[in-house]
């Protein structure tokens, strides 16, 4: 019996990888101490994904390159019978049902019931019998099969990421019938081939199918990791999602813990004081993400270093900011600041002067930032002029939500403290009307405008990573002291895994 070279290499690769799985990751003595991100998938989500597992296994069967099978057998009085099965392909495959069960501290048990498949190919056999009688034939064959699969998938750590070991795999054959040239009732010689070829074929299919499933489980684990890594990456800024501890399998959920350290050029991120505990998450929703406050602070620092925390406003947007109300005080302040220059000949710039500080509280996410604002005017025929420059410390509490495939950020109780104030129209800074107007404008219009821009940018970024492909139901973003919990139910886009597998298989 011969397996194709591709399968030998694949099997060797699987076993070499599994030998190193348990020894590949080392964790510190304190559980969860370096945990920045946690993903918990509960039993309802596992049941939903199990439906996709059935589709994936169907795709794997259809695309599998089954090896040629050769063998021979000595028969008393008849001499040797040699045979070979080639060009084996799968047709008309179906799965009656698939069940999943989470076994605490053990494995994900998947039972796939009544896989019916019709295998087709070519049988070549030669018979060298007694009295020098020789027969050689090449005929088409069909194999009717009904199989149950039992797969126990263990989650481990390999190269600091979740690895799936599906080598604990069993096949039970309810039916495996060989038909030659469509003959449902072969003669005694064909029946002889049917008996021992069917036995050989069972051994090959068990090994082949289980190897394919084990290989596929690891491919899918890598796919999920790569999908998550891409989701938390934007150009030079990314998150380290390597494992912080061994993945957990409980009776009602799966859970993985990740470092969540920000990686950006020479920026150094260190974290060893996580407040995570499994008791912080429940089991009522399908999917949970737990995020440390530290991640938000580090991302803000990286965004600042990458010069992303800046905004330029001109034209109609600038006009809308400064004409939020039609009062005498507003018109006077605008006239003094812009000195009669049109909005189209002016530009405002807003940027962070230092790393924003972020803290997470039950009432929302609190952002504290030292911000610079400059208004530059371009009077016709004159040199550009900085009409206004100010530095202010802004503290604003933001509540977040997600609805209709959009991130929604709602600012609350903002506080503004001027640190530097320079206005060309008021060199002494003694005119309170300009400062009072600016304070009101920043609170009522300026901060919401900036947050709206951030809201749009983050929504666009998440959709570019494929978040809009998922049907997310009733998402909740819950803030607590030093951490955020995102909990939701979802529907999985059917084509995502299948499209990926079509490229891999």
């Amino acid at each position: 019996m011969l397996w194709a070279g591709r399968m030998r290499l694949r099997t060797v690769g699987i076993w070499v990888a599994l030998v190193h799985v348990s020894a590949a990751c080392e964790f510190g003595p304190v559980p969860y101490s370096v945990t920045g991100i946690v993903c918990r998938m509960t039993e309802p989500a596992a049941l939903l994904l199990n439906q996709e597992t059935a589709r994936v296994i169907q795709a794997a069967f259809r695309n599998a390159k089954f090896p040629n099978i050769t063998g021979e057998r000595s028969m008393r009085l008849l001499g040797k019978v040699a045979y070979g099965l080639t060009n084996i392909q799968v047709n008309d495959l179906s799965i009656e049902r698939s069940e999943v069960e989470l076994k605490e501290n053990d494995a994900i048990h998947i039972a796939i019931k009544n896989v019916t498949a019709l295998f087709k190919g070519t049988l070549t056999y030669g018979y060298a019998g007694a009295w020098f009688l020789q027969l050689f034939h090449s005929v088409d064959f069909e194999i009717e099969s009904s199989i149950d699969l039992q797969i126990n998938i263990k989650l481990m750590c390999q190269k600091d990421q979740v690895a799936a070991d599906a080598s604990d795999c069993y096949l039970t054959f309810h039916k495996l019938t060989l038909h030659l040239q469509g003959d449902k009732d072969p003669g005694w010689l064909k029946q002889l081939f049917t008996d021992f070829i069917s036995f050989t074929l069972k051994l090959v299919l068990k090994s082949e199918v289980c190897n394919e499933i084990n290989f596929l489980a690891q491919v899918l684990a890598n796919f999920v990791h790569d999908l998550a890594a891409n989701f938390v990456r934007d150009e030079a800024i990314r998150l380290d999602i390597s494992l912080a501890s061994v993945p957990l399998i409980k009776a009602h959920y799966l859970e993985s813990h990740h470092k969540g350290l920000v990686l950006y050029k020479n920026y150094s991120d260190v974290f060893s004081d996580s407040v995570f505990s499994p008791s912080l998450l429940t089991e009522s929703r399908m999917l949970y993400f737990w995020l440390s406050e530290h991640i938000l602070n580090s991302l803000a620092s990286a965004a600042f270093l990458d010069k992303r925390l800046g905004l330029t406003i001109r034209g109609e947007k600038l006009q809308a900011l400064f004409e939020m109300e039609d009062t005498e005080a507003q018109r006077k302040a605008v006239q003094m600041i812009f000195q009669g220059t049109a909005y189209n000949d002016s530009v405002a710039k807003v940027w962070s002067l230092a790393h924003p500080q972020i803290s997470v509280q039950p009432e929302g996410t609190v952002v504290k930032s030292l911000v610079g604002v400059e208004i530059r005017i371009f009077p016709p025929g004159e040199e550009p002029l900085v009409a206004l420059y100010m530095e202010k410390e802004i503290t604003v509490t933001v509540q977040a939500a997600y609805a209709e495939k959009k991130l929604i950020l709602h600012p609350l109780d903002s506080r503004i403290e001027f640190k530097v104030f320079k206005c060309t129209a008021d060199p002494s800074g003694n005119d309170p009307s300009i400062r009072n107007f600016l304070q009101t404008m920043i609170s009522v219009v300026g901060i919401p405008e900036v947050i709206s821009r951030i809201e749009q940018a983050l929504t666009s970024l998440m959709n570019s990573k494929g978040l809009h492909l998922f049907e997310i139901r009733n998402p909740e973003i819950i803030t607590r002291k030093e951490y955020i919990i995102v909990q939701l139910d979802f529907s999985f886009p059917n084509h995502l895994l299948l499209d990926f597998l079509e490229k891999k298989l």
Side-chain angles (χ1 to χ4, degrees), residues 136-313:
F136 297 97
H137 294 278
S138 181
V139 297
D140 293 333
F141 70 82
E142 292 182 351
I143 302 168
E144 292 181 283
S145 68
S146 178
I147 308 168
D148 286 350
L149 284 83
Q150 179 178 316
I151 311 162
N152 296 307
I153 303 176
K154 294 183 178 181
L155 300 181
M156 300 181 179
C157 180
Q158 180 183 7
K159 296 181 180 178
D160 293 327
Q161 71 182 58
V162 176
D165 174 14
S167 58
D168 188 2
C169 168
Y170 303 92
L171 269 67
T172 302
F173 292 86
H174 299 299
K175 180 173 73 172
L176 189 68
T177 306
L178 175 67
H179 302 295
L180 303 181
Q181 290 182 320
D183 186 354
K184 306 298 182 182
D185 186 21
W188 71 270
L189 185 59
K190 292 181 180 180
Q191 186 62 57
L192 173 67
F193 289 139
T194 298
D195 292 340
F196 62 82
I197 288 177
S198 294
F199 173 78
T200 303
L201 190 60
K202 284 183 180 181
L203 297 179
V204 172
L205 288 178
K206 281 183 178 182
S207 177
E208 172 73 11
V209 170
C210 284
N211 281 338
E212 288 285 347
I213 290 173
N214 195 14
F215 172 77
L216 193 58
Q218 295 188 57
V219 168
L220 290 176
N222 291 334
F223 168 69
V224 172
H225 177 272
D226 293 343
L227 194 68
N230 180 61
F231 191 83
V232 294
R233 178 192 300 122
D234 183 44
E235 297 179 2
I237 301 175
R238 59 191 179 95
L239 288 180
D240 175 10
I241 60 170
S242 59
L243 287 175
S245 59
V246 177
L248 297 180
I249 299 179
K250 296 295 184 180
H252 300 293
Y253 65 84
L254 312 171
E255 190 170 277
S256 59
H257 315 98
H258 307 266
K259 294 176 182 177
L261 299 176
V262 172
L263 304 175
Y264 172 75
K265 296 182 180 179
N266 295 327
Y267 175 78
S268 180
D269 194 12
V270 180
F271 182 52
S272 60
D273 194 23
S274 177
V275 299
F276 175 75
S277 168
S279 62
L280 297 177
L281 303 179
T282 65
E283 301 170 17
S284 60
R285 305 298 298 274
M286 294 173 68
L287 192 61
Y288 294 82
F289 294 101
W290 182 94
L291 305 172
S292 169
E293 172 186 280
H294 175 85
I295 290 178
L296 302 181
N297 263 312
S298 298
L299 284 173
S301 295
F304 171 77
L305 294 173
D306 204 41
K307 303 185 185 306
R308 298 193 185 194
L309 303 183
L311 181 64
T312 299
I313 306 172

Side-chain angles (χ1 to χ4, degrees), residues 50-97:
N50 183 56
Q51 299 173 11
E52 303 307 317
T53 300
R55 294 187 180 97
V56 167
I57 288 178
Q58 287 177 318
F61 265 93
R62 291 191 183 102
N63 290 280
K65 304 296 183 183
F66 287 93
N68 296 334
I69 302 170
T70 61
E72 63 180 22
R73 184 172 180 178
S74 297
M75 304 294 295
R76 182 179 298 179
L77 301 177
L78 297 177
K80 285 186 177 182
V81 176
Y83 61 88
L85 277 70
T86 60
N87 303 321
I88 303 175
Q89 298 177 355
V90 181
N91 293 71
D92 302 327
L93 183 137
S94 65
I95 295 176
E96 183 177 286
R97 70 181 188 275

Side-chain angles (χ1 to χ4, degrees), residues 359-384:
S359 63
V360 182
Q361 303 295 333
E363 58 270 21
T365 302
V366 182
V367 182
K368 184 177 181 180
S369 181
L370 182 62
V371 176
V373 177
E374 179 186 274
I375 296 178
R376 190 178 292 266
I377 61 176
F378 302 85
E382 300 181 25
E383 291 295 320

Side-chain angles (χ1 to χ4, degrees), residues 371-417:
V371 176
V373 177
E374 179 186 274
I375 296 178
R376 190 178 292 266
I377 61 176
F378 302 85
E382 300 181 25
E383 291 295 320
L385 175 66
V386 176
L388 176 71
Y389 175 81
M390 56 184 173
E391 296 177 4
K392 56 190 184 298
E393 187 175 82
I394 297 178
T395 303
V396 60
T397 301
V398 181
Q399 291 182 341
Y402 186 84
E404 298 180 353
K405 301 185 183 297
K406 294 180 181 179
L407 179 66
I408 301 169
L409 301 177
H410 181 60
L412 304 174
D413 68 338
S414 58
R415 299 185 300 277
I416 301 169
E417 181 181 351

